[in-house]
Amino acid sequence: MTTNHELFQRAQHLMPGGVNSPVRAFKSVGGEPFFTARADGAYLWDVEGKRYVDYVGSWGPMIVGHNHPHVRAAVERAVQNGLSYGTPCAAEVTMAETVTRLVPSMDMVRMVNSGTEATMAAIRLARGYTGRNKIVKFEGCYHGHGDAFLVKAGSGALTFGVPTSPGVPSGLADLTLTLPYNDLAAAEKLFAEAGDDIAGLIIEPVAGNMNCILPRDGYLQGLRDLCTKHGALLIFDEVMTGFRVALGGAQAHYGITPDLSTFGKIIGGGMPVGAYGGRREIMRLIAPSGPVYQAGTLSGNPVAMAAGLAMLELIQTPGFYAEIDRKTRVLTDGLAAIALEAGVSMTTNRVCGMFGLFFTSEKVETFAQATACDTALFNRFFQAMLERGVYLAPSAFEAGFVSSAHDDGVIAATFDAARESLRVAKN
Ligand code: PLP
């Protein structure tokens, strides 16, 4: 039998860090990753046959559980007709009709192959539309690995960005202004000083890449008003929240209309898909109807469209989101009660099928609070849970996800594992 360890040894010689995406290497939590052999419902099985309850869900897409028969059948049907055409196909039109119906702020949409592509194209479009160069992002928000987004705040909200990664030219990073999430006064100050130069403000409306942080009351509306006042585009990066926190995404949940939105994860049903879209007068600028260039050999791929459409059908089932919301509440309330019993300070955040656990006694609303949590305790808890067959995101700064396949039995088993894991981890 091939073991996880053997595979990781081989992989490390062949792929940077042994993986094709950094967080998979478990660097933050320590130890070695497991290699998944198959996935079904709420579970993953590794190559050694060990089963895990999965709260990562391929980092968000698997909202109906893994290997759902409806999605699988759609893919199998599509595959019969070939894998890629490079011409328009009917499924793309159905996808565009579905997405623009479910997300009313989008009159038009362009399909791409990842969330990163979607956000890169969205800021290019914002720049092309406004004729301005600067963009605003938030510390702790992740928008994929495009150069413009690999920037963190310097000292103070108004300082120009400093590249987070070698290889990002400082001249480009200078165009990315960084703000603290959930601080409207800081945003007002920045727009008062630089508003006329800002093409767009991009935000995860619920921040899922610094654990799970919800917007304060009125915060998103405040940003909407600032963008409108200064002629900047408000871009909601709903790659994670789209079709996750509500059928219409975070924009429906909070009742805010962005100018542009980006999607990924759930929209592809587990296939590599992203999308961006918005008002017609803006989207018309995209090539070939307009001058802002963006293209893709595999964009709108028929197999990927089939998977995404099947997924979008499933999530429109009446009561789907109410049930996921209920399960996530049961999970986070139960874990909070178990932590209390164990004498461990832990708070939780959640919105529908997305949640965060924080080893602190405070309600966490900011990046600074998230980074001040006890990450060493989280790492010990993560390892103890993994040993007991529960896979949480392998970093204290990632949101967790609940799917419709996480039934009450799965959640009860999670509680059993958590009781023991907290006892082990707190020492
Ligand atoms: N935007 C957000 C909010 C994300 O969470 C991610 C990925 O996790 C991305 C963009 C990038 O998407 P992808 O990994 O598909 O390129």
Side-chain angles (χ1 to χ4, degrees), residues 114-204:
S114 68
T116 296
E117 278 187 56
T119 55
M120 281 168 37
I123 57 156
R124 183 180 303 141
L125 177 55
R127 285 171 164 153
Y129 177 78
T130 58
R132 301 170 178 180
N133 282 335
K134 292 198 172 129
I135 60 158
V136 178
K137 77 174 280 286
F138 293 82
E139 193 180 10
C141 281
Y142 178 67
H143 304 291
H145 60 85
D147 283 352
F149 303 119
L150 293 182
V151 173
K152 62 184 177 188
S155 53
L158 304 184
T159 29
F160 286 121
V162 185
T164 303
S165 165
V168 176
S170 58
L172 187 63
D174 284 351
L175 299 176
T176 302
L177 311 176
T178 313
L179 280 171
Y181 184 90
N182 259 342
D183 182 346
L184 191 55
E188 282 165 352
K189 188 157 181 261
L190 177 64
F191 272 84
E193 291 183 9
D196 291 349
D197 298 328
I198 296 172
L201 174 149
I202 186 164
I203 187 165
E204 291 179 69

Side-chain angles (χ1 to χ4, degrees), residues 95 99 106 109-115 117-119 122 236-239 243 261-265 267 273-277 283:
M95 175 59 89
V99 171
M106 300 209 297
V109 65
R110 168 63 61 85
M111 303 308 295
V112 292
N113 304 291
S114 68
E117 278 187 56
T119 55
F236 270 11
D237 180 354
E238 298 235 38
V239 167
F243 312 107
S261 304
T262 58
F263 292 89
K265 302 189 190 274
I267 200 173
V273 177
Y276 64 98
M283 288 302 288

Side-chain angles (χ1 to χ4, degrees), residues 283-320:
M283 288 302 288
R284 265 206 196 118
L285 291 188
I286 293 290
S289 59
V292 177
Y293 195 70
Q294 187 273 311
T297 298
L298 294 175
S299 296
N301 173 272
V303 183
M305 294 302 98
L309 283 169
M311 176 72 92
L312 296 182
E313 274 164 29
L314 290 171
I315 63 175
Q316 291 178 66
T317 310
F320 180 85

